[in-house]
Amino acid sequence: MPHTLTVDGKKYPLNSQQTLLENLESQAIKAEFHCRDGHCGACRCTLVSGQVNYITYPMAYLRENEILLCCSQSKSDISITR
Ligand code: FES
């Protein structure tokens, strides 16, 4: 069963082969980004629930409940707030 991406309370289908940033872009959800490589932190957001897998090690500073959208893929249903 496909996973679900919840952004600020709204639900979207989630493609686990794409990064979370690519998922937001494919749903035409506005997302902040700059480097797309885990360095700048512009794509940082709060992970409400779910688990992600980093395809590139996140270099930007993250608090415990924060993730980088540009370099992570979903391992489960994901809920984020921005
Ligand atoms: S866009 Fe720079 S860390 Fe994600």
Side-chain angles (χ1 to χ4, degrees):
M1 203 157 112
H3 288 150
T4 300
L5 172 63
T6 305
V7 182
D8 298 331
K10 280 189 74 174
K11 290 188 189 305
Y12 305 88
L14 181 54
N15 181 344
S16 58
Q17 303 301 308
Q18 294 183 322
T19 65
L20 292 176
L21 180 59
E22 289 164 345
N23 271 275
L24 266 68
E25 289 172 338
S26 69
Q27 298 296 328
I29 307 167
K30 192 175 181 312
E32 299 292 330
F33 68 88
H34 184 63
C35 71
R36 301 185 78 101
D37 197 25
H39 280 84
C40 73
C43 65
R44 179 190 292 119
C45 72
T46 301
L47 181 66
V48 178
S49 64
Q51 285 187 303
V52 299
N53 189 29
Y54 280 105
I55 53 174
T56 304
Y57 187 79
M59 298 300 285
Y61 172 76
L62 290 172
R63 293 195 188 88
E64 206 172 307
N65 61 344
E66 290 178 333
I67 58 169
L68 297 178
L69 297 174
C70 69
C71 53
S72 59
Q73 293 177 329
S74 62
K75 287 171 68 178
S76 65
D77 289 347
I78 299 289
S79 178
I80 58 172
T81 57
R82 295 168 298 161

